[in-house]
Amino acid sequence: MESTLQTVLLISLGAIAGANLRYFVAQSVAKLMPSSFPFGTLIINISASLILGFFLIWTTERVLADPRWRTLIAVGFCATYSTYSSYAFETFALVEKGQFPLATLNFLANNLLCFLAVACGAALARSV
């Protein structure tokens, strides 16, 4: 029972941090870059991909890390910080508004840049 409670607490702590950071980053980007294009979500998705790519490679190939860190960072923090559902909805909303070039740009940018961010995070983890 203690292990299950500990896991739930680790996920919850990571989720609190991830959700709050997501909110503050999205608000900050919206103030800095007012636009009909969802730059905040794109930046959040790219940075979450970079963090996850770095963390998972670093803790599996470079350092011996307690498995609870994976629960805290990968499951708790990154899962709530990343905004895939917002990205999907924002892309849908752009399509519904007939803004097909922006919807296509959002789709391609999130998928390609997040993939590249995971690869960069993994490469960075392997270099340290």
Side-chain angles (χ1 to χ4, degrees):
M1 180 69 176
E2 184 177 328
S3 177
T4 302
L5 179 58
Q6 185 179 56
T7 299
V8 169
L9 289 173
L10 287 169
I11 292 169
S12 298
L13 288 172
I16 289 168
N20 281 288
L21 185 60
R22 172 184 168 184
Y23 174 79
F24 289 114
V25 169
Q27 294 300 309
S28 298
V29 171
K31 287 178 186 172
L32 292 171
M33 303 171 63
S35 171
S36 59
F37 185 80
F39 283 108
T41 300
L42 178 61
I43 289 168
I44 291 165
N45 285 344
I46 293 168
S47 60
S49 297
L50 178 69
I51 291 165
L52 190 62
F54 175 85
F55 177 78
L56 291 179
I57 295 300
W58 187 60
T59 59
T60 57
E61 295 182 9
R62 296 293 180 195
V63 298
L64 286 176
D66 187 309
R68 291 176 289 193
W69 282 104
R70 186 179 189 116
T71 303
L72 177 74
I73 302 298
V75 178
F77 177 80
C78 285
T80 56
Y81 175 61
S82 182
T83 58
Y84 190 84
S85 58
S86 295
Y87 145 71
F89 181 81
E90 289 165 350
T91 304
F92 172 77
L94 290 170
V95 168
E96 286 225 317
K97 292 177 189 172
Q99 296 179 331
F100 300 110
L102 281 179
T104 301
L105 175 63
N106 196 38
F107 177 81
L108 292 173
N110 271 281
N111 286 285
L112 295 174
L113 294 174
C114 289
F115 173 79
L116 290 173
V118 167
C120 288
L124 181 62
R126 289 181 174 133
S127 71
V128 293

